Amino acid sequence: MLTVFMMLVGLVALGPISPAQAAGTVGTGTAGSCTEAALNTALSGGGLVTFNCGPNPVTITVTSEKLLLQSTQVDGGGLITLSGGGTTRIFNVAIPGISLELRNITLSNGMASGTNPGGAVIAAGSLTVINSTFINNSAFSGGAVFSAGSSLLVLDSTFDTNSANGGGGGAIINAGGTATVARSTFVNNQDTGANGGGAISNLSGIVSLVNSTFTENSAGFGGALLNATPGATLYLNSSTISDNTASTDGGGVYNSGGTTNITGSIVADNSAATGANCFDDATPGTIVSSGSNLSDDGSCPFVSAGDIQNSPNIDLNALADNGGLTETMLPQASSDAIDNADCGLLVSEDQRGVDRPAGSSCDIGSVEVLQSTYALCASYYTGVVYSPLNGQCGGGQIQIDPTNETFCIDTYTGRLLYLFGSPCNPPRRAHVLPDDGELLTCVSYYTGVNRAVGSHSQCTPAEAPNTIPAAP
């Protein structure tokens, strides 16, 4: 099954290619000035390419792939999408020794035709991806990225709904170099053919996955991850693999001939005909645990110190914006992930940049759950909600149990108000506090006033997080 992968290392796609050599600014301040022709002009000298397309998001559709012959950096400023229009790959880094760096940009609807790999990017040189999104790209293999160069680095990025139609690697294929992926999320990527790795396939070389989330990916085998061939090595640390599917083997991780080392990670709630979470199909293929891993069955060899097998309490919330640059799966208060990891095995911050530990020990997986608890007190006179950090309500205040209560949010200040049954008249809006274990508010260290925020969004340095409702 894996031999088809090794036929795909050749990088030059069939069909017409538009050479480009890099550097300049795309656009003159308006959306209309940001065209493919302007992009081609900016890609003409080597170096940094930026965009001046106005204050709103802009999509530039390309009609031919951009063949890069010199090292290039492309920064979309968080506003630019480059689309292949469902007809062409977007970038080809064809020469070993040159590099492409993508920052703050979205690559969508790239397509490599026939059995060509790399729907959005194919790289014989090095590729760096920072704070970027790859969505709805497709190819025979490596639906978004096919990396056959010396290095691939992915940070703070999202790979969503990319697909391979027979060669594996719904989002990424690493074909021999060293790849590092950190603080990134892979969701709904798939290989629709008979091969594996719904999100990432490591054909050879070394892949390190740190503080990342894999969910709702699917493949014939290795619903999320495939580590293939003798000598291939995959490291998984401080990450979450959940709700992925394989039609045959290894709903989460499929190891074939290489070595997969798993540390401080959740591999649970995946599904497959055999090996719901993990499957190792070959000798000398080996899946190794370095400890502090969590699973809901025995298909992963989680028998090292701190491992938890057959847990009935995985209890992860669905993928959501819990703060940070990428979406994550937040463990509920009842999850066995909380406080059960050896902090010495995990990285010092979680996927969102939250310091570990937040409780008595570190949490298994990509998210460290904030656990600060403060009483809620409401002013009799103004309805403003306070959380005195000493836990005692002051004069003119009453302590309240937030369970099933409706609060109001001041639209302008974000302050939380409790109006004792009175309606939240505009411009205030009604708000029901979330379930236990989710972020209630951020509490000012100086005034004690609560500011309503989304679940596990970041509090400022002058605020404390208040996460679990405290009954009076």
Side-chain angles (χ1 to χ4, degrees):
M1 289 185 290
L2 299 175
T3 55
V4 66
F5 287 131
M6 306 314 296
M7 299 169 62
L8 300 172
V9 178
L11 291 177
V12 178
L14 299 176
I17 294 175
S18 296
Q21 293 182 315
T25 299
V26 179
T28 57
T30 65
S33 66
C34 289
T35 63
E36 182 179 15
L39 176 63
N40 289 337
T41 299
L43 293 170
S44 61
L48 177 64
V49 173
T50 59
F51 297 81
N52 183 16
C53 305
N56 299 314
V58 170
T59 297
I60 301 173
T61 300
V62 301
T63 58
S64 62
E65 74 172 23
K66 308 310 168 190
L67 179 63
L68 301 180
L69 304 177
Q70 298 187 43
S71 293
T72 307
Q73 303 88 46
V74 181
D75 191 332
L79 294 174
I80 302 302
T81 295
L82 298 181
S83 171
T87 62
T88 184
R89 184 190 292 133
I90 300 171
F91 288 114
N92 186 339
V93 186
I95 302 175
I98 72 167
S99 63
L100 170 62
E101 181 176 305
L102 300 170
R103 287 180 176 266
N104 313 309
I105 197 166
T106 296
L107 270 60
S108 72
N109 296 299
M111 193 274 288
S113 61
T115 59
N116 290 303
V121 180
I122 190 168
S126 64
L127 174 64
T128 298
V129 177
I130 299 174
N131 191 27
S132 295
T133 298
F134 288 73
I135 185 167
N136 201 35
N137 301 286
S138 64
F140 179 73
S141 59
V145 171
F146 188 95
S147 175
S150 59
S151 67
L152 169 65
L153 175 63
V154 177
L155 301 176
D156 299 312
S157 295
T158 297
F159 289 75
D160 186 347
T161 320
N162 302 287
S163 63
N165 56 31
I172 294 175
I173 280 185
N174 180 59
T178 298
T180 301
V181 178
R183 301 190 303 266
S184 295
T185 292
F186 294 76
V187 55
N188 199 35
N189 303 286
Q190 62 177 328
D191 174 61
T192 60
N195 282 288
I200 296 177
S201 293
N202 182 33
L203 304 191
S204 60
I206 299 173
V207 171
S208 298
L209 307 174
V210 182
N211 267 342
S212 293
T213 298
F214 299 82
T215 186
E216 299 181 32
N217 304 287
S218 62
F221 52 94
L225 304 176
L226 167 68
N227 188 47
T229 73
T233 304
L234 187 148
Y235 295 97
L236 181 72
N237 188 287
S238 310
S239 294
T240 298
I241 299 179
S242 182
D243 295 326
N244 304 282
T245 304
S247 58
T248 57
D249 306 319
V253 178
Y254 187 104
N255 188 72
S256 178
T259 300
T260 297
N261 190 298
I262 305 177
T263 308
S265 296
I266 299 171
V267 187
D269 293 331
N270 303 289
S271 62
T274 306
N277 293 306
C278 295
F279 187 86
D280 197 342
D281 83 334
T283 300
T286 304
I287 298 177
V288 178
S289 168
S290 292
S292 293
N293 295 303
L294 174 65
S295 185
D296 59 343
D297 72 358
S299 65
C300 302
F302 291 165
V303 292
S304 297
D307 285 345
I308 302 174
Q309 282 187 320
N310 299 303
S311 168
N313 302 313
I314 304 300
D315 298 345
L316 300 178
N317 287 322
L319 191 71
D321 180 1
N322 298 307
L325 296 176
T326 50
E327 292 188 334
T328 51
M329 301 179 75
L330 183 72
Q332 300 170 19
S334 56
S335 175
D336 281 341
I338 295 178
D339 292 343
N340 277 320
D342 179 349
C343 292
L345 297 176
L346 280 69
V347 293
S348 60
E349 294 181 345
D350 76 354
Q351 183 170 340
R352 305 161 302 158
V354 172
D355 289 338
R356 302 180 190 266
S360 59
S361 188
C362 290
D363 300 341
I364 302 172
S366 64
V367 180
E368 185 74 13
V369 178
L370 299 168
Q371 299 179 66
S372 304
T373 303
Y374 302 103
L376 292 182
C377 309
S379 167
Y380 280 117
Y381 309 108
T382 65
V384 172
V385 177
Y386 298 86
S387 285
L389 300 185
N390 63 8
Q392 301 297 315
C393 295
Q397 299 175 353
I398 182 173
Q399 188 168 347
I400 53 178
D401 178 357
T403 306
N404 298 321
E405 295 287 357
T406 297
F407 294 76
C408 304
I409 298 175
D410 185 292
T411 303
Y412 302 109
T413 65
R415 286 185 174 185
L416 200 68
L417 306 174
Y418 181 67
L419 301 184
F420 304 93
S422 298
C424 301
N425 295 320
R428 298 164 178 165
R429 57 186 175 88
H431 179 65
V432 177
L433 295 180
D435 296 331
D436 286 8
E438 294 182 327
L439 183 63
L440 286 171
T441 59
C442 292
V443 183
S444 169
Y445 283 117
Y446 306 108
T447 66
V449 172
N450 284 260
R451 178 176 64 89
V453 294
S455 174
H456 272 84
S457 295
Q458 299 283 359
C459 295
T460 71
E463 297 173 323
N466 190 7
T467 58
I468 302 176

